[in-house]
């Protein structure tokens, strides 16, 4: 990795509509009187209305229960860097954070941000230098805290791509936390590298977890094209 220039980092960095129907019922047998027919129709209408309300109530309860289950069993665990980023300048919300929030919005999952104990430089080149040094040392930088993920079955794991890999402190999380029996679905932002083999690296770090298909988006897309992010996330989630 030492032969890379700081700017060559860009090659690796990154990242029911419910319809109603009207039924006409023909009279059977003798013709009913007008009053009788009117009473029968009123009773039928009341019964139909009651059934519709009951059905809608049950549907709403089912949807609420589904959303609550999704929220309780899944978490979006991510790191995202602010400051100077390639192609998008100085940003106040990170590229990966934007994707993380879209995943949470579409799944109802909890958002959990991972924070390194020592912040990285705001400058792009300076951050690249620190990230490369950590990778060459195979460092495991400390985190502010290791999140408790015991309540979650599915982890949407988000990160930028730094020098063709996860930031080294993400391995601190993976190797320290208990991911046994969990499903990990990786997603990243980058500027040309794609996932860069990181799902396999995650699987190596968490051998007792199931690692699914990953999602990758360019950082510039994540930062500037919310509609494209929304569509990409929806497609990814539907394929899981």
């Amino acid at each position: 990795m030492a032969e890379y220039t700081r700017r060559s980092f860009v090659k690796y960095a990154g990242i029911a509509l419910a319809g109603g129907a009207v039924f006409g019922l023909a009279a059977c047998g003798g013709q009913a009187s007008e009053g009788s027919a009117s009473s029968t129709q009123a009773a039928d209408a009341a019964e139909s209305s009651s059934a519709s309300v009951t059905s809608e109530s049950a549907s709403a309860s089912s949807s609420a229960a589904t959303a609550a289950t999704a929220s309780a069993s899944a978490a979006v665990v991510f790191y995202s860097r602010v400051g100077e980023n390639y192609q998008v300048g100085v940003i106040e919300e990170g590229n990966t954070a934007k994707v993380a929030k879209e995943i949470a919005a579409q799944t109802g999952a909890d958002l959990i941000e991972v924070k390194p104990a020592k912040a990285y430089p705001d400058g792009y080149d300076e951050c690249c230098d620190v990230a490369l040094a950590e990778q060459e040392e195979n460092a495991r930088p400390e985190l502010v805290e290791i999140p408790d993920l015991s309540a979650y079955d599915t982890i949407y794991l988000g990160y930028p791509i730094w020098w063709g890999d996860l930031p080294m402190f993400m391995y601190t999380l993976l190797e320290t936390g208990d991911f046994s029996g969990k499903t990990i679905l990786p997603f990243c932002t980058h500027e040309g590298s794609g996932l860069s083999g990181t799902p396999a690296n995650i699987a190596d770090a968490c051998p007792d977890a199931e690692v699914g298909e990953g999602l990758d988006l360019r950082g510039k897309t994540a930062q500037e094209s919310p509609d494209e992010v929304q569509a990409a996330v929806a497609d990814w989630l539907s394929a899981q």
Side-chain angles (χ1 to χ4, degrees), residues 74-217:
V76 182
V77 181
F78 73 99
Y79 167 74
S80 193
R81 180 177 167 274
V82 297
E84 184 186 11
N85 276 247
Y86 186 79
Q87 287 202 340
V88 295
V90 177
I91 55 177
E92 296 183 358
E93 181 176 38
N95 303 329
T96 309
K98 289 183 175 291
V99 183
K101 290 180 178 180
E102 182 60 37
I103 294 171
Q106 293 193 31
T107 62
D110 292 340
L111 273 170
I112 300 175
E113 185 173 5
V114 176
K115 296 181 179 180
K118 184 177 180 179
Y120 287 86
D122 286 340
Y124 174 76
D125 285 346
E126 292 79 6
C127 182
C128 290
D129 290 344
V130 174
L132 179 58
E134 289 179 345
Q135 189 177 99
E136 290 177 336
E137 296 167 5
N138 197 29
R140 294 295 184 268
E142 293 183 4
L143 300 178
V144 170
E145 65 177 339
I146 303 294
D148 180 5
L149 304 177
S150 58
Y152 304 106
D153 299 321
T154 299
I155 306 297
Y156 300 97
L157 186 70
Y159 47 90
I161 296 293
W162 287 2
W163 294 103
D165 203 349
L166 292 83
M168 290 295 101
F169 61 83
M170 293 299 287
Y171 286 106
T172 305
L173 170 67
L174 295 172
E175 295 169 0
T176 304
D178 183 7
F179 290 86
S180 301
K182 299 186 187 299
T183 297
I184 302 175
L185 300 175
F187 65 96
C188 74
T189 54
H190 63 92
E191 286 302 345
S193 67
L195 285 158
S196 194
T198 51
N201 296 345
I202 293 168
D204 288 342
C206 304
D208 296 323
E210 178 180 350
V211 180
E213 181 181 352
L215 168 69
D216 67 276
L217 283 164

